[in-house]
Amino acid sequence: MPRLVTPEMPRKGDERDASRAYSDIIVEGPHDPAALNNRGVALERQGRYEEALAAFSAAILSDNDDVYAWNNRAVILARLDRHQEAVLACRQALAIDRSCIFAWVTYGMVLGRLGNYQEAEQVLAVAEDLDPQARSLYPGTLTMTRA
């Protein structure tokens, strides 16, 4: 089950330790998409967006059907003001899993940043059809860790 990670969440421990731990796991299994994805989340929490993007891209190279990595890639691309690329990543995440509420909310957020408010509302309505609390998932970021 994905876990929402937001900047507002209290953090336990030092995020640099988390990043190092995921780096150690990746050394042991360099093609593990879950470890690469989780490393990307740890890097995102440190504000290291380009490195996070590289980690999510590596996760996708290891498993092109990883909805977590595609959604997280979209979140980071939006943070980097690369909104058109973020739209494409959202669409890919939704092509993989149309029931991924996180991807729907990320897609709505990106469309809103592009000024496509009517389409953003339609997309967010789909998310709310899946889960009435969907809009509450967007306090600022929607990166997902994998178990």
Side-chain angles (χ1 to χ4, degrees):
M1 176 78 180
R3 186 173 60 85
L4 177 66
V5 177
T6 69
E8 293 81 14
M9 289 178 68
R11 296 185 171 112
K12 293 183 179 177
D14 185 348
E15 286 303 315
R16 288 173 297 231
D17 290 339
S19 182
R20 268 193 302 276
Y22 287 123
S23 294
D24 293 345
I25 291 169
I26 291 168
V27 168
E28 294 171 15
H31 302 292
D32 179 1
L36 291 163
N37 179 76
N38 292 347
R39 181 170 191 270
V41 171
L43 291 165
E44 183 257 347
R45 289 176 127 193
Q46 295 173 42
R48 296 164 59 185
Y49 302 130
E50 291 291 344
E51 293 171 85
L53 182 60
F56 297 136
S57 297
I60 290 166
L61 285 173
S62 294
D63 179 2
N64 194 50
D65 291 329
D66 187 337
V67 70
Y68 299 87
W70 279 107
N71 179 74
N72 292 344
R73 179 176 169 75
V75 170
I76 296 301
L77 288 167
R79 282 188 170 272
L80 294 170
D81 294 323
R82 294 166 57 181
H83 297 102
Q84 294 297 334
E85 292 174 82
V87 165
L88 296 175
C90 289
R91 289 180 181 162
Q92 183 61 37
L94 291 168
I96 295 164
D97 183 357
R98 300 221 32 104
S99 66
C100 181
I101 297 163
F102 294 95
W104 283 108
V105 174
T106 301
Y107 191 28
M109 175 266 305
V110 172
L111 290 170
R113 288 188 181 175
L114 285 169
N116 300 341
Y117 303 117
Q118 186 173 4
E119 189 177 359
E121 282 298 317
Q122 293 169 347
V123 166
L124 291 170
V126 172
E128 287 178 325
D129 286 344
L130 293 168
D131 182 347
Q133 301 300 314
R135 285 185 200 246
S136 68
L137 295 176
Y138 177 63
T141 185
L142 288 170
T143 54
M144 301 182 297
T145 57
R146 288 182 57 180

